[in-house]
Amino acid sequence: MPSRLYAVLVGIDAYPPPIPRLAGCVNDVTAFAETLKGRTPAGTLELTMLTDGAATRAAVVEAISTQLGRASADDTALLYYSGHGSQQACPPELWAGEPDHRNETIVLVDSRQPGCWDLADKELATLLTGVAASGCHLLVVLDCCHSGGGTRDVEEDVRLAPEDPRRRPVGSFLPGVADAATGGPAPGAVRGLTARWGGPVGRHVLLAACRADEKAKEVTVLGAHRGALSAALETALRETDGLPTYRDVLRIVSAGVQRRVVEQHPQLEAVDPDELDEPFLGGAVSRTARLLTLSHLPDGWSIDAGAVHGVPEPIGDDTTELAVYPLTSETTGAPLATGAVTRVLPDRCLVALSRPLDEDYVYRAVVTSIPLQPLAVAVLGDEAGTATLRDAAGAADSTLIALVDDPTGADLLVEARPEGFVITRPGVTRPLVPTVAGTGRESRVVAALEHVARWVRLSGLHNPATRLPAGALRLTVTTPGGPAPPGSLVELSYAGENTPSFTLTITNTTDQTLWGALLDLTETYGVFTDAFPSGSVALGPGESTSVSLSGEVSDALWAAGTVAVTDQLKLVTSTLEFDPRSLQQDELDVRAVGSQTVLRGGTPPRSTLERLLTRATTRRLAPAQEEAVADWRTDEVLVRTARPPVT
């Protein structure tokens, strides 16, 4: 039987007088419920929602005990509370667990009615101990204040209920509270977090909206009131590609909260610190791709991806470009606006828009272009030779190569010698290609550098903000010895004179049609795109296609002493049809490179991806037209082919 997620979500806005009403708590739990429904496998979510009048003390206690109590050791339990927090005087019998003689409480809809009480921290601890006794993974999310002076939104609507002035007798607490608070018997209890709960509590993880002395604030998201923590948590789960750990979630949530409000620091606590490195909700939520969003912050418009996500710095006027759409819409039509990244920060980027947008809304952004760094080439050696090479480089494509004086940090080195030019990588003495000599050698060196630059650009090409998940098109490699482990180097070897063969299978794991193309980037700077007759292949949901390939060490390389080569097979996945065949280039041959003619960019790009791929390889590109916006990603597998020498 698959593991299940048992969830109890409590949100209260409609408190009766004299407790102040709230605005965003029901929105919080309603949105989180939708997130859970969209991120959990079918049939695994057991959800109980208690909002406003249904969120009585008795109903909440029953839901925790009964609903969450169903979770077994293989399951996950979640309690999510959004509402008022408060305090109350602690009975003398429970002072042992409360140095300040006060209980922290959550305020339920009937808490202040005659004969009813808030749910005190010690009561909640006792309930959680009972749930945790089964060994389930337990998460508690509290989007409320936990001490005096707290509010939950930027307009200072009070989110801290007035303290209950009544003297509460110890007999009004749930059974077992007195024993637990004084260290007495509590089945399955683990001592820890006494500052939060006032006594020992079962194993669990707690995500709290703020520190005990801070205010839990509320923000406006798409015109709706939301708790700052709840909004940031929903965003973190919606946008995270993969299964984030609790530490990952805290980092993303903290950044999200602190971008919007001040003096609020979400807190993550666990009885067992090792649990903080486990997947959020114990892995009960399934993988999804992150959604790139654009929002207006105090320093202007920005996207929520930055240097840590791989967004490159602008290169002169060349920068990351975006198409902007409504948050919930598809990206097949005309965008609301376009944007250009002006500054890359660690966790986000500042953006200039082509037209004004409503600053109260959050928008969806799609990367349409990224800056392509030219290859830095340092020229060394003979003074006369370096001068002629610099003159020849004046006609080079400056978007592909840039000559630099300092070899430190250069991608390639070119040394001018009397016999010709030697191209090497920094720190590697073996030449990249044979010495370039003879008539017209300067132009052939420049052409060779451009050839290598195109290869390097394609080799490193990736989309730092794709919404397509890893493995959207899954690559499976089968060799004569069986399937290769995912992500591993595929190793092949000749059997005598016979080239080794293998099969590469591509499977669409998503619920939409995707197009895939396979680029073979060889060790000698060739780029081959002939795996599919039309360049790319369309795969519907669940569909697969297979390609039979072989590894090869050419006779020329083998005769020259090369006994192994590595090919980089790069899978480009797109939401729109595209043709990569203009990227193809032969192996680098410095004897003929100056006379090679490679036609690129002859057909106007049909999508933003085709334009980007064309820009990676040529200076001859027509002005941008109105192109369809494609989301895309790249994945790769390395194949090493060995051809042992004859003994």
Side-chain angles (χ1 to χ4, degrees), residues 69-148:
R70 295 168 58 194
S72 68
D74 295 328
D75 298 325
T76 299
L78 166 67
L79 172 63
Y80 196 121
Y81 173 78
S82 181
H84 272 305
S86 189
Q87 292 182 317
Q88 65 180 187
C90 183
E93 295 90 336
L94 304 181
W95 282 0
E98 288 289 0
D100 64 354
H101 299 172
R102 309 183 77 74
N103 292 323
E104 307 296 336
T105 69
I106 59 175
V107 184
L108 303 170
V109 72
D110 60 347
S111 284
R112 303 299 170 82
Q113 300 301 311
C116 198
W117 304 93
D118 293 355
L119 190 64
D121 49 4
K122 298 165 184 61
E123 295 180 292
L124 189 53
T126 299
L127 292 169
L128 296 179
T129 296
V131 173
S134 70
C136 68
H137 183 88
L138 173 60
L139 170 64
V140 181
V141 179
L142 300 178
D143 196 351
C144 62
C145 300
H146 303 287
S147 63

Side-chain angles (χ1 to χ4, degrees), residues 294 301 303 319-325 333-342 351-357 363-369 608 624-627 629:
L294 174 81
W301 288 101
I303 54 171
T319 188
T320 301
E321 298 175 358
L322 310 161
V324 182
Y325 295 88
L336 298 173
T338 58
V341 167
T342 58
V351 174
L353 294 180
S354 62
R355 58 178 297 271
L357 294 176
Y363 299 88
R364 179 176 176 181
V366 178
V367 171
T368 58
S369 183
T608 52
Q625 306 296 319
E626 189 169 305
E627 298 148 354
V629 176

